[in-house]
């Protein structure tokens, strides 16, 4: 198993190098890049649908979708008139930087103000693969249970933003929101947490304002 | 990346060998072994709680819990008076056969009639790691969305049983049960599908009857 670890470490180092190149490219283009990570079914694509609907008239948007199989998610974004490229990973449980570079060559996604990368539905594997993003966003739906941050500490400590989704279902599920907020505060003390519902619209203004603020900050720092 | 693939293939071959040894051990002991796989928060531990409550007076049960972090799940099972061993994988996104063998040495789980292995919350990585089980069970909660079988075809085609969970939430979420049944029928034509709710008890009799039928079949074939 040591050989597996060594080979994996080398693959991660190669990925980091490619991610650094992407980060320079995105800095040159003034593109804010957000890497969305969660379990399958936490609502990443739905959050993106709501986000692009609110932002597409004010900014140039683009989306890269990562999935093991099917073109469904990219189709959902394209239906809103925003360019989206689907990366199919086959069996792989995460996107890597090389796939992002290839997607940028294959599809006309640039120039863009905001590039959203929806990673493969997985709370573990995508955590260690830098995609050249400005920051990671972890999503956690209230239906997944309130023990998840401590059960998957790596992603919830590395994500600068955690979006709690499906808050409209809180009356129907056992989910102690205060307990989750405490776990997140312990794992990511400087992180930002937003409670949202794509159904009621709760938290979406706050989420979109955060994105625009981060975009402004990146542009003024350039 | 080819080197990663080669090393991974060798690791899988070594795992298969260890799994075969486990399978012989379980055959000798007359133990039916079930490998539960799903996204984080689909309700694996809750299904196990309901299952052991119904079966523990009739059979010798044991549970192996796989998680990246925390002992929470094993604690929940032990609270019901059933022996449970927690395997912490660190960063790894699946259990492997070696960890099952180590758990059997470390904890007094045998002799057992039924051994449940709750894999790490992940719809992708656990799929290819044989743990010496009799069959895999995939769980899918209705809150995860009705596109999941086709998006994660490997696990839903390899699982002999798919348990749809949280059916009590169907009135509150967009989930086309018929569409999911069609996807599952296409991926696993001979598979078995059970719709359940740990809250209302729907489907739990059917699930428990399936387990006991499989145990009887294994014993009579021995």
């Amino acid at each position: 198993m040591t050989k597996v670890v060594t080979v994996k470490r080398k693959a991660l180092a190669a990925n980091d190098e490619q991610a650094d190149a992407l980060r320079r490219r995105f800095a040159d283009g003034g593109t804010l890049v957000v890497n969305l990570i969660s379990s399958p079914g936490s609502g990443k694509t739905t959050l993106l649908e709501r986000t692009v609907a609110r932002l597409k008239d004010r900014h140039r948007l683009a989306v890269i979708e990562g999935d093991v199989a099917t073109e469904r998610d990219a189709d959902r974004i394209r239906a809103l008139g925003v360019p989206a490229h689907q990366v199919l990973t086959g069996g792989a449980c995460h996107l890597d930087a090389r796939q992002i570079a290839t997607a940028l060559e294959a599809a006309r996604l640039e120039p863009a103000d905001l590039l959203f990368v929806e990673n493969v539905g997985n709370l573990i594997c995508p955590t260690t693969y830098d995609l050249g993003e400005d920051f990671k966003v972890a999503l956690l739906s209230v239906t997944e249970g309130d023990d998840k941050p401590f059960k998957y500490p790596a992603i919830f400590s590395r994500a600068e933003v955690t979006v709690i989704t499906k808050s409209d279902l809180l009356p129907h599920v056992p989910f102690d929101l205060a307990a989750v907020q405490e776990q997140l505060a312990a794992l990511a003390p400087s992180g930002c947490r937003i409670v949202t519902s794509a159904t009621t619209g709760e938290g979406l203004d706050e989420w979109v304002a955060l994105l625009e603020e981060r975009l402004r900050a990146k542009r003024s720092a350039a």
Side-chain angles (χ1 to χ4, degrees), chain A:
Chain A
M1 293 301 281
T2 320
K3 201 171 175 192
V4 176
V5 172
T6 310
V7 171
K8 204 183 160 194
R9 199 168 292 154
K10 280 187 191 167
L12 275 175
N15 185 77
D16 282 349
E17 217 168 285
Q18 180 95 59
D20 286 341
L22 283 171
R23 196 166 278 111
R24 288 190 294 274
R25 176 182 182 145
F26 295 137
D28 290 345
T31 305
L32 183 78
V33 182
V34 181
N35 182 0
L36 298 167
I37 298 173
S38 79
S39 304
S42 300
K44 292 183 292 303
T45 318
T46 301
L47 180 68
L48 276 182
E49 287 175 327
R50 299 296 185 276
T51 306
V52 305
R54 282 159 182 254
L55 289 176
K56 69 179 180 178
D57 294 334
R58 296 205 290 273
H59 305 283
R60 296 166 301 176
L61 307 179
V63 175
I64 295 174
E65 292 284 348
D67 274 295
V68 170
T70 86
E71 188 96 5
R72 286 169 189 238
D73 289 352
D75 286 341
R76 287 170 62 182
I77 301 300
R78 284 184 205 119
L80 299 168
V82 166
H85 182 76
Q86 182 78 49
V87 178
L88 295 181
T89 67
C93 53
H94 61 87
L95 289 173
D96 61 36
R98 193 183 43 83
Q99 290 168 323
I100 301 301
T102 306
L104 294 174
E105 300 309 320
R108 286 186 192 282
L109 301 174
E110 295 165 309
D113 301 311
L114 281 137
L115 170 64
F116 297 97
V117 179
E118 181 181 339
N119 223 307
V120 179
N122 199 303
L123 265 184
I124 303 170
C125 317
T127 308
T128 46
Y129 283 82
D130 185 357
L131 305 180
E133 72 269 1
D134 288 274
F135 58 100
K136 292 177 170 60
V137 175
L139 279 75
L140 173 66
S141 69
V142 303
T143 58
E144 288 171 65
D146 49 28
D147 57 351
K148 293 301 169 294
F150 278 172
K151 287 183 76 173
Y152 300 86
I155 180 56
F156 289 105
S157 57
R158 288 187 200 202
E160 285 184 31
V161 182
T162 296
V163 175
I164 294 169
T165 60
K166 309 190 190 182
S167 68
D168 56 290
L169 295 175
L170 277 170
H172 308 295
V173 296
F175 187 86
D176 184 340
L177 187 55
V180 168
Q181 297 276 23
E182 269 175 43
Q183 292 172 55
L184 292 171
L187 292 167
S190 62
C192 172
R193 299 177 284 282
I194 306 177
V195 177
T196 69
S197 163
T199 303
T200 67
E202 181 187 359
L204 296 180
D205 286 344
E206 194 185 341
W207 160 245
V208 164
L210 178 147
L211 293 171
E212 292 192 302
E213 174 52 38
R214 292 293 301 252
L215 177 60
R216 263 193 305 275
K218 181 167 188 169
R219 292 279 169 89
S220 65

